[in-house]
Amino acid sequence: MGSAKFSITYQTSARDRPLSSIRVRAAAGDPRRGWLTADGWTVPVALGRGGILANKREGDGGTPRGTLQPVQVWWRADRHPRPRTFLPTRPIRPEDAWCEDPHHRHYNQPMRLDRDQAGDRLTRDDHLYDFIIEIDHNRTPRITGRGSAVFLHLARTNFAPTAGCVSMTKSSMLRLLRRMGPRTKIVIG
């Protein structure tokens, strides 16, 4: 008897691969609200109180216009299991903070604070930073005053404007994370 050869082919769908890009645009009539579109689905988002700006500055409340890349996901491991994603992940610890001081040598970088130090801690009492997608805005090179701590994170219940980030519901965030990878382009504007 002859031997039969079998081959198994695994089909991968588009849902099994990272997104090539997502797009964020302002909503008609309200520049502080917007829409995030990815692979045929669209979800509402809150934008910065200054709308989408081409010339982002520290403290202007603007969401930066441009094409950005995700860096990693930060998440509250004390509140949620590790999210499914193609991105690197990092649990948020009580000492984790972000430097927003343009005159500090760690401007627009993560830093650690002692318990008694003041600063923009990533462990918040509310749930806005339970999941953070760190993006590469003003990262390489870092330019003093060009904006810091611009993330994709969770929205307030009323989709109130952010200080310059893009925010969304938890269910939208988890859906997006499942498809985000290091090469996913985030096109804002």
Side-chain angles (χ1 to χ4, degrees):
M1 297 199 120
S3 66
K5 292 188 178 182
F6 295 98
S7 67
I8 298 174
T9 304
Y10 293 99
Q11 296 263 336
T12 60
S13 72
R15 293 182 190 148
D16 298 326
R17 295 186 303 270
L19 293 164
S20 60
S21 67
I22 64 171
R23 179 157 189 99
V24 176
R25 58 185 165 75
D30 189 351
R32 299 169 305 165
R33 295 221 178 161
W35 299 101
L36 182 147
T37 303
D39 197 32
W41 54 277
T42 300
V43 296
V45 294
L47 302 172
R49 67 182 180 279
I52 296 175
L53 300 175
N55 194 17
K56 170 82 180 137
R57 295 282 181 200
E58 189 67 42
D60 64 8
T63 299
R65 177 183 307 275
T67 301
L68 304 163
Q69 299 285 142
V71 175
Q72 67 181 334
V73 177
W74 298 69
W75 96 99
R76 289 288 301 267
D78 60 325
R79 293 179 175 174
H80 306 280
R82 181 181 172 273
R84 286 181 42 214
T85 185
F86 293 100
L87 292 168
T89 58
R90 180 174 172 176
I92 297 171
R93 294 178 290 261
E95 64 273 11
D96 287 329
W98 205 269
C99 183
E100 295 178 324
D101 179 356
H103 305 292
H104 195 282
R105 67 184 177 102
H106 293 295
Y107 176 61
N108 196 32
Q109 291 181 323
M111 58 189 298
R112 293 186 179 200
L113 297 176
D114 293 330
R115 291 193 188 278
D116 57 344
Q117 286 180 292
D120 187 22
R121 292 188 184 272
L122 300 183
T123 51
R124 296 172 57 119
D125 290 335
D126 62 22
H127 292 274
L128 298 185
Y129 284 2
D130 280 10
F131 298 96
I132 300 169
I133 300 175
E134 178 187 343
I135 60 176
D136 68 350
H137 170 71
N138 195 25
R139 183 174 171 165
T140 308
R142 281 180 296 134
I143 301 170
T144 299
R146 295 295 290 185
S148 63
V150 178
F151 307 126
L152 276 66
H153 63 74
L154 300 184
R156 290 179 173 86
T157 55
N158 61 356
F159 279 90
T162 69
C165 298
V166 175
S167 66
M168 65 199 75
T169 65
K170 178 182 169 188
S171 62
S172 295
M173 172 65 78
L174 293 175
R175 183 176 180 183
L176 182 62
L177 283 173
R178 283 193 296 272
R179 297 290 310 283
M180 292 283 289
R183 293 186 175 166
T184 303
K185 292 180 181 148
I186 303 167
V187 182
I188 301 175

